[in-house]
Amino acid sequence: DDSVSGVLTLVKGPDYSRWAVRALRATVTALSREPGVDERIAVIGYGTGGGLAFTIASADPRVRLALAYDSVGTDIDLVENIKGAAVSFYAADNVAAAQSLPDLRAVMRRAGVPFCAKPYPARHLSLTDLVTPRPHGSVAGDRWQRSLAMLRLHLV
């Protein structure tokens, strides 16, 4: 469909990325002013949003954890600026994520960014799986429990 193709082209462009980073930094600022937040800010993104999770973490030192699910479009040149920790959960058949992982790991290691990546056998992680708690033992349940553990580790 041409309309979807046009939207995807816009989302992958530099204007969208600049707008998204400005909007996300404004969101981080608003969150930081909320009572009880006390600089405990994490970002979670899926797909293109996963790449943006790493981008906003690199652009704003107040972000203590970036969780990326099946991320695409991660700007490896920026991740060295992350001041918090970073996590990547991805489907084993996500070729782009798997191929970029060695470079991503190397840059994170050089920059001293605590980073872990976990592949899952499931095909293309579903957004529904990310927001719907599942039984223990399932792929989605495991991912959910690991996400909660990372949030507790880095924000509590």
Side-chain angles (χ1 to χ4, degrees), residues 65-128:
L65 175 65
L67 282 164
Y69 299 95
D70 245 0
S71 66
V72 295
T74 300
D75 188 339
I76 290 182
D77 294 333
L78 293 178
V79 298
E80 66 187 15
N81 297 319
I82 293 175
K83 300 299 181 217
V87 177
S88 177
F89 295 123
Y90 63 97
D93 65 344
N94 180 335
V95 176
Q99 287 177 339
S100 68
L101 190 57
D103 290 337
L104 187 59
R105 259 190 219 285
V107 171
M108 296 276 196
R109 189 177 312 113
R110 278 194 308 272
V113 176
F115 175 68
C116 68
K118 171 89 172 121
Y120 282 92
R123 293 180 50 87
H124 307 292
L125 305 178
S126 151
L127 184 57
T128 303

Side-chain angles (χ1 to χ4, degrees), residues 23-33 36-46 49-50 52-58 60-69 82-87 89 144 146-156:
L24 290 168
R25 286 195 78 175
T27 302
V28 168
T29 295
L31 284 171
S32 70
R33 293 179 181 148
V37 171
D38 300 325
E39 297 182 11
R40 292 177 299 172
I41 297 173
V43 294
I44 300 173
Y46 173 78
L52 283 172
F54 289 156
T55 300
I56 189 60
S58 70
D60 197 316
R62 297 172 294 179
V63 175
R64 291 178 37 192
L65 175 65
L67 282 164
Y69 299 95
I82 293 175
K83 300 299 181 217
V87 177
F89 295 123
W144 179 249
R146 287 176 189 270
S147 296
L148 292 176
M150 288 289 127
L151 289 165
R152 282 190 295 274
L153 178 65
H154 294 285
L155 299 185
V156 176

